[in-house]
Amino acid sequence: AQSVSQHNHHVILSEAASLELGCNYSYGGTVNLFWYVQYPGQHLQLLLKYFSGDPLVKGIKGFEAEFIKSKFSFNLRKPSVQWSDTAEYFCAVNSFQKLVFGTGTRLLVSP
Amino acid sequence: GAVVSQHPSWVICKSGTSVKIECRSLDFQATTMFWYRQFPKQSLMLMATSNEGSKATYEQGVEKDKFLINHASLTLSTLTVTSAHPEDSSFYICSARRGINYGYTFGSGTRLTVV
């Protein structure tokens, strides 16, 4: 069965620091990849998704992610974080019509 | 577009009673909806896939008689937690997808507390 690993459970950064959150998945077939964000007290929102084409995907709020098929990875990046990026970030993989989530990374950005 | 409404947002019920949670796609039709459970400080665990007009597909370890899912129309799926117990207390989230080229849209979740 598909599994998704997010290696960083908690990340603390200062404003303007660069961010990279790791995501690896287990199944190597055709997959769709997603990053979702959950701000405190809010529901999940889609940051970006990869279905096919350019492996470097740009999403909302300055986020981007790179799909590296050989590494089964889909890491999330942002060159300069803001305090408002404080949230929990979930990587998810869609395979066999099911969305499987990673355990999430809680990001705290200090002003 | 692509809005999913989930109701209620929170509910407290007594042990032994049943609770129904609704999930509606407001501006699109969803032949398939999904129900997740999120434990504190943990990820979302898929409970079941709700198929319009047919039986839901449950994940391994999820009791189908405990968590009744009905997908009566293309815009509505319901999850009923039957004979609720305190260990059923959790955050339940539904999602729906417009089509295979779209992402999943999530409801705002329902926090269930069984006392």
Side-chain angles (χ1 to χ4, degrees):
Chain A
Q2 180 71 265
S3 65
V4 181
S5 299
Q6 289 182 244
H7 313 294
N8 315 101
H9 298 293
H10 291 90
V11 173
I12 302 174
L13 295 173
S14 299
E15 275 194 315
S18 63
L19 170 73
E20 180 160 3
L21 302 182
C23 173
N24 288 91
Y25 59 95
S26 61
Y27 177 67
T30 301
V31 292
N32 303 143
L33 301 157
F34 306 83
W35 274 98
Y36 286 88
V37 61
Q38 188 173 29
Y39 296 103
Q42 297 188 27
H43 61 274
L44 285 167
Q45 299 174 40
L46 181 66
L47 270 181
L48 47 79
K49 63 183 185 289
Y50 171 81
F51 283 3
S52 64
D54 189 345
L56 184 61
V57 180
K58 299 214 181 281
I60 61 172
K61 304 186 181 186
F63 286 91
E64 66 178 31
E66 185 174 13
F67 170 53
I68 303 179
K69 189 173 183 178
S70 61
K71 295 185 178 180
F72 297 87
S73 70
F74 190 56
N75 292 355
L76 181 71
R77 299 194 292 250
K78 185 170 183 177
S80 177
V81 294
Q82 300 173 317
W83 175 80
S84 57
D85 293 324
T86 294
E88 188 153 18
Y89 293 82
F90 293 95
C91 179
V93 177
N94 177 44
S95 65
F96 302 110
Q97 300 304 312
K98 293 181 183 179
L99 196 61
V100 178
F101 283 85
T103 50
T105 298
R106 195 173 293 271
L107 172 65
L108 174 63
V109 180
S110 58
Chain B
V3 178
V4 172
S5 172
Q6 189 172 339
H7 178 81
S9 55
W10 61 270
V11 58
I12 302 173
C13 71
K14 292 185 177 180
S15 288
T17 61
S18 296
V19 173
K20 180 185 284 188
I21 303 169
E22 290 187 350
C23 179
R24 293 180 185 272
S25 56
L26 297 185
D27 52 358
F28 66 100
Q29 294 183 331
T31 54
T32 305
M33 292 184 175
F34 305 87
W35 287 96
Y36 293 85
R37 184 172 178 176
Q38 186 178 25
F39 291 99
K41 300 183 180 179
Q42 294 188 31
S43 186
L44 285 78
M45 301 299 296
L46 179 65
M47 297 174 65
T49 302
S50 169
N51 305 298
E52 188 266 337
S54 64
K55 292 182 179 180
T57 304
Y58 290 82
E59 294 301 299
Q60 193 172 11
V62 178
E63 298 175 61
K64 61 180 181 181
D65 295 329
K66 173 79 170 172
F67 300 99
L68 298 179
I69 292 172
N70 183 274
H71 196 146
S73 75
L74 288 171
T75 59
L76 174 64
S77 176
T78 61
L79 168 67
T80 301
V81 183
T82 63
S83 187
H85 290 283
E87 57 264 30
D88 298 325
S89 298
S90 191
F91 195 57
Y92 294 87
I93 305 171
C94 73
S95 77
R97 198 179 192 189
R98 294 173 70 179
I100 60 172
N101 293 321
Y102 294 86
Y104 294 76
T105 302
F106 288 82
S108 53
T110 297
R111 185 162 300 283
L112 170 64
T113 302
V114 184
V115 297

